[in-house]
Amino acid sequence: MATDEGIPQAEFFPSLSLSLSLSLSLIVSVVSSRVCFKQTMGQALGCVQVDQSTVAIKEHFGRFAEVLEPGCHCLPWCLGYQVAGELSLRVQQLDVRCETKTKDNVFVNVVASIQYRAVADNASDAFYKLSNTKGQIQAYVFDVIRASVPKMELDSAFEQKNDIAKAVEEELEKAMSAYGYEIVQTLIVDIEPDINVKRAMNEINAAARMRVAANEKAEAEKILQIKRAEGEAESKYLSGLGIARQRQAIVDGLRDSVLAFSENVPGTTAKDIMDMVLVTQYFDTMKEIGASSKSSAVFIPHGPGAVRDVAAQIREGLLQAGSVQH
């Protein structure tokens, strides 16, 4: 496959990439040269430019003269004036990771973020008094954290992160103000225990939650059993009421039958009527046993003598019950 000019595509694109790279390098070199040229020309003409949020340190024959604010300033180099350097007034951030031990002998990594900036009114102190600002701040952070965290247990260290941050900020503010720096904010962004400690803490929390879940489940089962027992008791109570009413209805029916039979058939006694009722009930019972598909084999004495025996047993039971009541 070829382009319109007949150049193979495999050779065309690498050449284009090389050309773009050379062009970008040339542009960067030209811009850098122009900046250097402007700075050189500004110094040669005795003028200097200070950018916004930046101050410059002006010296006269190597001695501090004044702090130059943002803007254009006349700086006659022939009279011994020069710019010793520039100082940014922007807020800067330093992340410090400190390893220490808690009161319960757990090693943790405490990560602190320090936000600081140079004070414009004390720019000369910030420029001349400190050669390594970040190293100085880091040393103070180490000192405060390693003095505070060993007094706390691991759980307390997590709960009192703000107290640790406040102690670090107070110590830094007191120390760095003498060097022309202001501590804007101090944050304890993380406390990282060892991975094995993390796993143990998670297992403890999981066990505690499982214990709570087991208690709740047992309580729910207890409530279910209580409600089930109450339901069974209520069911048995109602069943007993139904049986009592059924028996009362049977007794009332038998009494009415005996009275009606005695009135309609002269010469019959109550004993004859009860024997006849018992025989009728006996045959009804036999019929129900034979008609039920789920009934088991039942062996009972059958015959007129058996009916007489059953009637005698029932009668004796009723008489005994009546004598006990009297």
Side-chain angles (χ1 to χ4, degrees):
M1 184 176 180
T3 61
D4 295 338
E5 290 80 3
I7 301 175
Q9 187 177 10
E11 298 178 359
F12 175 73
F13 286 106
S15 301
L16 180 61
S17 301
L18 180 59
S19 300
L20 290 175
S21 301
L22 292 175
S23 300
L24 291 174
S25 301
L26 181 60
I27 291 172
V28 172
S29 300
V30 170
V31 172
S32 301
S33 301
R34 291 184 63 184
V35 171
C36 294
F37 177 75
K38 287 175 63 177
Q39 292 178 352
T40 304
M41 288 297 296
Q43 292 178 0
L45 296 176
C47 296
V48 66
Q49 174 183 325
V50 181
D51 296 331
Q52 184 65 33
S53 299
T54 306
V55 293
I57 305 299
K58 177 181 177 181
E59 292 182 347
H60 186 216
F61 289 114
R63 183 176 181 179
F64 171 73
E66 62 176 329
V67 176
L68 301 180
E69 300 291 336
C72 184
H73 299 273
C74 181
L75 200 71
W77 57 269
C78 57
L79 298 179
Y81 292 99
Q82 66 174 355
V83 175
E86 294 182 346
L87 185 66
S88 176
L89 301 180
R90 295 185 178 93
V91 176
Q92 303 179 61
Q93 178 168 313
L94 174 63
D95 294 330
V96 181
R97 178 182 293 270
C98 176
E99 184 180 10
T100 184
K101 185 179 71 170
T102 61
K103 187 177 181 180
D104 47 355
N105 297 323
V106 178
F107 283 91
V108 294
N109 286 318
V110 181
V111 181
S113 292
I114 313 300
Q115 298 174 0
Y116 65 98
R117 65 182 175 187
V119 182
D121 295 338
N122 299 326
S124 59
D125 293 336
F127 185 80
Y128 287 107
K129 288 187 177 181
L130 280 181
S131 60
N132 186 1
T133 305
K134 294 184 178 181
Q136 188 84 358
I137 293 176
Q138 185 175 3
Y140 280 109
V141 172
F142 280 179
D143 181 66
V144 176
I145 289 179
R146 288 174 177 170
S148 302
V149 175
K151 299 178 182 178
M152 308 175 184
E153 294 184 352
L154 182 59
D155 294 338
S156 301
F158 280 101
E159 295 173 358
Q160 300 178 19
K161 287 171 57 177
N162 293 334
D163 295 339
I164 300 173
K166 185 177 180 181
V168 173
E169 183 174 352
E170 290 177 353
E171 186 67 23
L172 284 176
E173 185 69 30
K174 181 172 61 176
M176 299 303 294
S177 60
Y179 301 107
Y181 282 93
E182 174 189 4
I183 304 300
V184 179
Q185 186 73 26
T186 301
L187 303 172
I188 302 297
V189 296
D190 197 9
I191 298 178
E192 300 177 353
D194 184 74
I195 185 65
N196 295 325
V197 177
K198 284 185 179 180
R199 187 180 299 110
M201 293 174 65
N202 292 332
E203 290 176 355
I204 291 172
N205 291 332
R209 294 181 183 276
M210 290 178 64
R211 183 169 62 251
V212 173
N215 291 335
E216 295 295 333
K217 184 177 179 181
E219 189 67 22
E221 292 179 353
K222 175 183 175 182
I223 294 173
L224 287 175
Q225 291 179 0
I226 291 174
K227 293 299 181 182
R228 190 180 297 113
E230 291 177 353
E232 292 178 356
E234 186 68 18
S235 175
K236 291 179 179 179
Y237 172 74
L238 296 176
S239 177
L241 290 179
I243 294 174
R245 291 175 182 176
Q246 179 186 9
R247 291 176 178 176
Q248 183 66 36
I250 292 172
V251 171
D252 293 340
L254 289 173
R255 183 180 66 248
D256 295 340
S257 298
V258 170
L259 292 176
F261 197 86
S262 299
E263 293 176 358
N264 294 328
V265 181
T268 57
T269 62
K271 177 179 178 303
D272 298 332
I273 297 171
M274 288 299 300
D275 290 340
M276 185 183 67
V277 171
L278 289 174
V279 170
T280 303
Q281 293 291 330
Y282 176 78
F283 283 112
D284 290 340
T285 303
M286 295 294 294
K287 180 180 177 181
E288 290 181 0
I289 292 174
S292 177
S293 61
K294 297 182 180 180
S295 61
S296 303
V298 179
F299 296 95
I300 59 175
H302 180 62
V307 176
R308 185 176 60 252
D309 294 339
V310 171
Q313 292 175 7
I314 293 175
R315 190 181 302 109
E316 290 177 1
L318 292 174
L319 292 175
Q320 290 178 3
S323 62
V324 169
Q325 290 178 358
H326 292 294

